[in-house]
């Protein structure tokens, strides 16, 4: 446990710079998935009950 | 972990690091001591500014403004001023080349390296963004080409052959190659500190430019194949001043960028500008330069082919430079692919060309962020170098004893300028992208949706830029 943590200071800050990118990327991906599902539901013949469900 | 908990977890990590930043960075990580918060937190703040700007644009900017901005003529430029600028450009070029060839070969004592890498490569872009395309007037090869054309017309008259038709598919690819070649010399070539090498390379470049002009015409060649002319001209599109023909026009800042020609290689020029600056930052960090870092490993691998150590080091640098340019190109294509998913009947290539102008403020932001301190400090060397350009003890203007004042700005001040440059540049890019999206898609809701992935690209470029600057300073 100790050795990797002892060296975390060498690289953890690089990951911190990526946090906004990851958060935004995940948010966009999730939002896009939700939109696609909504479009599929709207396009499916017969209404919402035939739309793909998770 | 559920997606809903992700932001909370990220905030938690940040809070922990803020509580015990010294402990977390006990090994090897240093930062400017007088900053009130960790450097990486600036990246988070910058991302929030971009996000807020994006939301504000989608709510408040409902129709294209920059695309239809009007220019107003404020001054007529007399012909004599054009001639004078050309003469000054040629004289400055001749002085730098002469200093490089005949002067002291110590890098810091000779005018050529500082004039080329600091004044020319950093100073001219800054002047271009403030004052418009000033380089077009001072370009020594363009001035020489125009003068040669004028003389040839006088001598040969109607017998002068018409220039060849420039290949349309070649577009601005030669200019992209020119920018890449200069960056290679600046960042990879081991002889870059040798003034005489630089002088010879400058002469070779001028020779290539004049040869191209003689075949395809001065303006056509300059517009497409002069790497410096094209790069500085692109940055000048951000300026509020436009030197069109013999008129000086006033326009809203950024508006000129919407007129960026959508020709082959246009995207490549801007991507190369950003990529080469990115590599400059990356190549100063420990991932590249550290013990057993990428440079070491690549050099060892290439050395195994029997190239010799120096060639292997240059080979490693070349691989790194090209890889970073390709990564930047890939990031841009990611944003374009996101736009393409919205629909609208435009191909990815078409969208890439139509939104290429949004990269111009990013290219300038990266340039300022990476080279601001170089221009501020090393730029002062010009004061004593113009008095002693050959480094042989002369004192032409009585300024040879001046020195560089390193107390002009503190380390934290430089960092703030770098952060401000990156944030401002990327907000400018968002504005340009939003304005173009409104023009293409009409509906502001679809236009905003089309820019989601471009926002991600902008945040990525901002975070990347700040990380590179932070890593380079350690």
């Amino acid at each position: 446990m100790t050795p990797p943590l002892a060296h975390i200071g060498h690289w953890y800050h690089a990951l911190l710079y990526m946090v906004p990118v990851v958060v935004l990327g995940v948010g966009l991906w999730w939002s896009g998935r939700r939109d696609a599902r909504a479009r599929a539901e709207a396009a499916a013949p017969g209404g919402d009950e035939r739309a793909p469900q998770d | 972990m559920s997606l809903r908990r992700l932001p909370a977890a990220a905030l938690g990590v940040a809070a922990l690091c803020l509580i015990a930043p010294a402990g977390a960075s006990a090994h090897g990580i240093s930062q400017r001591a007088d900053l009130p918060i960790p450097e990486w937190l600036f990246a988070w703040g910058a991302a929030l500014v971009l996000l807020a700007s994006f939301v504000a644009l989608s709510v408040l900017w409902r129709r294209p403004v920059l695309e239809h901005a009007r220019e107003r003529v404020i001054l007529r430029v007399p012909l004599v001023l054009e001639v004078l600028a050309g003469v000054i450009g040629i004289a400055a070029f001749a002085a730098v080349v002469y200093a490089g060839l005949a002067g002291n070969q110590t890098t810091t004592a000779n005018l050529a390296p500082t004039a080329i890498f600091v004044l020319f490569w950093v100073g001219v872009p800054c002047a271009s963004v403030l004052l418009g395309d000033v380089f077009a007037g001072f370009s020594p090869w363009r001035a020489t080409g125009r003068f040669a054309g004028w003389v040839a017309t006088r001598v040969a008259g109607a017998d002068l052959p018409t220039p060849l038709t420039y290949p349309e598919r070649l577009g601005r690819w030669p200019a992209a190659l020119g920018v890449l070649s200069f960056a290679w010399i600046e960042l990879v070539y081991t002889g870059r500190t040798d003034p005489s090498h630089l002088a010879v390379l400058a002469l070779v470049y001028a020779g290539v430019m004049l040869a191209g002009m003689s075949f395809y015409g001065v303006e056509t060649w300059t517009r497409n194949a002069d790497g410096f002319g094209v790069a500085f001209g692109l940055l000048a599109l951000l300026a509020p001043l436009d030197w069109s023909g013999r008129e000086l026009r006033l326009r809203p800042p950024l508006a000129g960028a919407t007129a960026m020609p959508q020709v082959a290689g246009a995207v490549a020029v801007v991507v190369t500008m950003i990529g080469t600056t990115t590599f400059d930052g990356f190549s100063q960090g420990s991932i590249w330069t550290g013990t057993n870092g990428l440079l070491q490993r690549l050099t060892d691998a290439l050395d195994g082919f029997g190239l010799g150590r120096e060639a292997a080091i240059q080979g490693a640098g070349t691989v790194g430079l090209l890889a970073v340019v390709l990564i930047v190109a890939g990031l841009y294509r990611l944003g374009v692919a996101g736009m393409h998913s919205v629909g609208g009947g435009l191909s990815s290539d078409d969208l890439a060309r139509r939104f290429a102008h949004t990269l111009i403020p990013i290219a300038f932001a990266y340039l300022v962020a990476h080279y601001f301190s170089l221009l501020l400090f090393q730029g002062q060397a010009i004061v004593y170098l113009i008095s002693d350009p050959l480094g042989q003890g002369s004192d032409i203007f009585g300024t040879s004893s001046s020195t560089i004042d390193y107390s002009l700005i503190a380390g934290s001040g430089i960092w703030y300028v770098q952060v401000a440059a990156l944030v401002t540049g990327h907000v400018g890019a968002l504005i340009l992208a939003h304005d173009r999206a409104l023009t293409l898609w009409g509906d502001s809701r679809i236009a905003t949706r089309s820019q989601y992935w471009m926002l991600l690209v902008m945040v990525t470029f901002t975070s990347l830029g700040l990380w590179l600057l932070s890593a380079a300073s350690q």
Side-chain angles (χ1 to χ4, degrees):
Chain A
M1 200 61 181
T2 307
L5 281 180
H7 294 280
I8 193 171
H10 289 290
W11 52 264
Y12 89 97
H13 74 298
L15 297 180
L16 290 172
Y17 282 92
M18 286 182 61
V19 169
V21 179
V22 173
V23 169
L24 188 61
V26 169
L28 288 177
W29 171 79
W30 180 73
S31 154
R33 199 161 156 260
R34 195 185 55 180
D35 287 351
R37 196 185 305 153
R39 278 198 299 274
E41 283 174 2
D48 289 346
E49 68 276 12
R50 293 195 184 185
Q53 301 288 319
D54 276 352
Chain B
M1 185 191 299
S2 78
L3 290 176
R4 286 179 188 176
R5 289 181 185 171
L6 197 63
L11 281 173
V13 171
L16 276 173
C17 294
L18 279 174
I19 290 166
S25 60
H27 289 271
I29 299 304
S30 62
Q31 73 157 32
R32 294 164 183 85
D34 46 351
L35 291 179
I37 56 173
E39 285 173 343
W40 55 263
L41 207 51
F42 282 90
W44 292 34
L48 283 175
V49 172
L50 290 187
L51 192 60
S53 304
F54 184 82
V55 173
L57 284 170
S58 64
V59 174
L60 303 172
W61 198 301
R62 309 299 285 248
R63 60 184 178 80
V65 174
L66 297 173
E67 302 270 354
H68 310 298
R70 288 188 175 181
E71 295 189 350
R72 188 164 53 89
V73 177
I74 55 171
L75 196 71
R76 309 266 174 207
V77 182
L79 177 63
V80 67
L81 202 63
E82 268 192 19
V83 175
L84 188 66
V87 170
I88 291 172
I90 293 169
F93 179 77
V96 169
V97 168
Y98 179 71
L101 291 175
N104 186 328
Q105 292 303 298
T106 306
T107 309
T108 50
N110 193 298
L111 173 71
T114 301
I116 292 171
F117 290 131
V118 182
L119 271 199
F120 181 64
W121 188 235
V122 186
V124 174
C126 292
S128 302
V129 170
L130 291 173
L131 305 171
D133 195 4
V134 285
F135 180 70
F138 290 93
S139 168
W141 30 91
R142 180 169 174 261
T144 308
R146 290 177 80 187
F147 178 69
W150 179 78
V151 171
T153 309
R154 288 288 174 120
V155 173
D159 298 333
L160 197 66
T162 52
L164 300 175
T165 305
Y166 186 79
E168 196 179 329
R169 65 179 177 178
L170 205 57
R172 291 186 164 185
W173 281 104
L177 188 65
V179 174
L180 187 67
S181 303
F182 181 82
W184 184 85
I185 290 166
E186 183 196 15
L187 306 173
V188 179
Y189 178 49
T190 49
R192 62 183 175 271
T193 53
D194 187 329
S196 65
H197 284 208
L198 292 177
V200 170
L201 288 167
L203 284 173
V204 169
Y205 186 82
V208 171
M209 290 299 105
L210 292 174
M213 287 172 190
S214 67
F215 286 118
Y216 297 107
V218 175
E219 298 308 330
T220 304
W221 184 259
T222 303
R223 204 167 45 241
N224 291 290
D226 175 9
F228 301 113
V230 171
F232 299 156
L234 284 176
L235 294 172
L237 293 174
L238 303 175
L241 296 175
D242 175 24
W243 303 80
S244 291
R246 295 222 181 94
E247 289 177 342
L248 176 60
R249 300 174 184 200
L250 194 64
R251 66 188 173 198
L254 294 179
T258 60
M260 175 180 165
Q262 294 162 19
V263 296
V267 181
V269 175
V270 205
V271 162
T272 305
M273 288 164 73
I274 299 172
T276 51
T277 315
T278 305
F279 177 70
D280 191 8
F282 179 71
S283 63
Q284 292 169 39
S286 59
I287 294 177
W288 181 256
T289 57
T291 312
N292 210 24
L294 280 175
L295 176 62
Q296 179 79 48
R297 286 192 228 172
L298 274 170
T299 304
D300 289 344
L302 292 171
D303 207 10
F305 291 104
L307 294 172
R309 200 65 187 167
E310 189 174 319
I313 290 172
Q314 293 184 126
T318 308
V319 171
L321 180 68
L322 292 175
V324 173
V325 171
L326 288 176
I327 288 170
V328 169
L331 279 174
Y332 178 59
R333 291 302 295 211
L334 181 74
V336 169
M339 273 191 276
H340 188 244
S341 67
V342 173
L346 293 167
S347 70
S348 290
D349 285 343
D350 202 9
L351 284 171
R353 277 195 290 272
R354 285 174 189 259
F355 281 84
H357 68 303
T358 66
L359 297 175
I360 303 174
I362 300 176
F364 182 62
Y366 264 53
L367 186 130
V368 172
H370 284 273
Y371 301 124
F372 162 72
S373 57
L374 179 77
L375 182 64
L376 191 69
F377 295 128
Q378 193 57 34
Q380 295 177 55
I382 286 296
V383 177
Y384 61 78
L385 286 171
I386 54 165
S387 269
D388 186 15
L390 305 184
Q392 292 173 345
S394 62
D395 193 8
I396 301 168
F397 300 106
T399 56
S400 68
S401 58
S402 76
T403 54
I404 297 173
D405 180 3
Y406 287 102
S407 66
L408 276 180
I409 190 169
S412 58
I414 292 172
W415 174 254
Y416 288 130
V417 170
Q418 291 170 328
V419 173
L422 284 173
V423 171
T424 309
H426 287 83
V427 169
L430 280 179
I431 292 172
L432 284 171
H434 183 74
D435 204 67
R436 178 58 53 89
L438 285 171
T439 306
L440 290 181
W441 280 283
D443 184 279
S444 66
R445 204 172 50 87
I446 300 174
T448 301
R449 196 149 55 87
S450 76
Q451 295 309 299
Y452 284 168
W453 292 97
M454 281 300 270
L455 172 66
L456 181 64
V457 170
M458 305 295 175
V459 170
T460 306
F461 276 133
T462 308
S463 298
L464 175 70
L466 288 173
W467 172 64
L468 290 172
L469 291 168
S470 168
S473 70
Q474 286 160 16

